[in-house]
């Protein structure tokens, strides 16, 4: 990683799990964390939000400018989420990995995936990341009291990043603040 990469504007695709296993404090932590992440975007940054359970929705058709109007729309979208349904991670990961501007060298592209990781098909998700990663870095953010640490660690390794955990009841903790402050760096 070149040092000047850290100062590049970012293109961040936030992916939030709103499946039934996230009900209660985990959903609150995920929403608070994503809203905090949105508030850390800077002028020149691009972003999108994808929510998933056993279905998925992309807030915007492609990444958009991190201006007040778009950020406010994203915050309202996230605030309205409720936990329900099953957990299908492969479609939202595939959508997040799709890069409509693969030759863009002006933005550092990253995916911030917030989940408790309650799935049984980890190997399929790993394969999806490995085959489709391209230029983005994939940050797996563990939510809840006992996220799937195997999933978080291995997916972050494949995504060339780290796997912070938010789940000690503190909501948006130091780990999340560090991630958003250092999201341009990789291991």
């Amino acid at each position: 990683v070149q040092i000047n990469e850290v100062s590049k504007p970012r293109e961040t695709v936030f992916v939030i799990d709103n499946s039934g296993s996230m009900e209660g404090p985990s959903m609150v932590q995920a929403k608070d964390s994503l809203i905090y992440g949105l508030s850390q975007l800077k002028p020149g940054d691009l972003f999108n939000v994808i929510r998933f359970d056993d279905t998925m929705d992309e807030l915007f058709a492609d990444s958009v400018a991190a201006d007040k109007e778009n950020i406010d729309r994203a915050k309202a979208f996230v605030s309205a989420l409720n936990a329900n349904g099953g957990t299908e991670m492969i479609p939202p990961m595939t959508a997040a990995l799709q890069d409509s501007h693969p030759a863009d060298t002006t933005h550092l592209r990253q995916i911030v995936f917030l989940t408790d990781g309650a799935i049984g098909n980890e190997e399929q998700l790993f394969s999806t990341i490995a085959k489709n990663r391209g230029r983005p870095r994939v940050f797996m953010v563990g939510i809840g009291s006992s996220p799937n640490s195997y999933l978080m660690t291995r997916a972050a390794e494949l995504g060339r990043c780290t796997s912070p955990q938010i789940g000690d009841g503190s909501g948006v903790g130091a780990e999340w603040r560090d991630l958003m402050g250092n999201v341009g760096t990789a291991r």
Side-chain angles (χ1 to χ4, degrees):
V1 174
Q2 296 177 4
I3 299 218
N4 65 355
E5 269 191 315
V6 175
S7 62
K8 282 185 178 183
R10 299 178 282 190
E11 177 185 357
T12 305
V13 179
F14 295 98
V15 183
I16 184 170
D17 181 347
N18 70 298
S19 65
S21 65
M22 295 285 290
E23 189 170 8
S26 294
M27 193 71 235
V28 172
Q29 289 168 351
K31 288 165 55 170
D32 288 351
S33 297
L34 199 150
I35 288 169
Y36 176 80
L38 290 166
S39 72
Q40 298 305 299
L41 295 172
K42 303 203 177 351
D45 287 347
L46 302 170
F47 79 99
N48 202 352
V49 178
I50 299 172
R51 68 110 221 126
F52 74 95
D53 46 32
D54 51 2
T55 64
M56 66 169 246
D57 291 305
E58 292 183 68
L59 180 57
F60 302 104
D62 197 358
S63 293
V64 296
D67 61 28
K68 183 177 178 355
E69 180 180 335
N70 289 332
I71 290 172
D72 287 348
R73 183 172 168 197
K75 287 179 179 180
F77 175 78
V78 171
S79 294
L81 293 176
N82 293 305
N84 57 37
T87 308
E88 295 291 333
M89 285 188 187
I90 294 170
M93 180 63 79
T94 300
L97 288 166
Q98 288 180 359
D99 188 352
S100 58
H101 310 286
D104 180 2
T105 58
T106 61
H107 288 83
L108 186 60
R109 191 161 194 278
Q110 61 210 7
I111 297 164
V112 177
F113 205 101
L114 297 102
T115 183
D116 62 0
I119 62 168
N121 60 340
E122 291 100 340
E123 296 303 324
Q124 284 180 288
L125 185 70
F126 301 153
S127 176
T128 298
I129 295 169
K131 284 193 276 188
N132 301 304
R133 186 186 67 214
R135 70 181 173 110
R137 294 189 177 120
V138 180
F139 291 87
M140 296 297 291
V141 181
I143 299 290
S145 60
S146 58
N148 180 336
S149 60
Y150 171 64
L151 173 80
M152 300 299 157
T153 303
R154 183 67 183 129
E157 287 170 358
L158 290 168
R160 302 176 304 213
C161 288
T162 58
S163 175
Q165 180 176 336
I166 301 170
D168 60 3
S170 64
V172 182
E175 298 88 357
W176 183 252
R177 287 189 293 275
D178 288 347
L179 171 66
M180 290 313 296
N182 300 310
V183 84
T185 62
R187 297 190 298 157

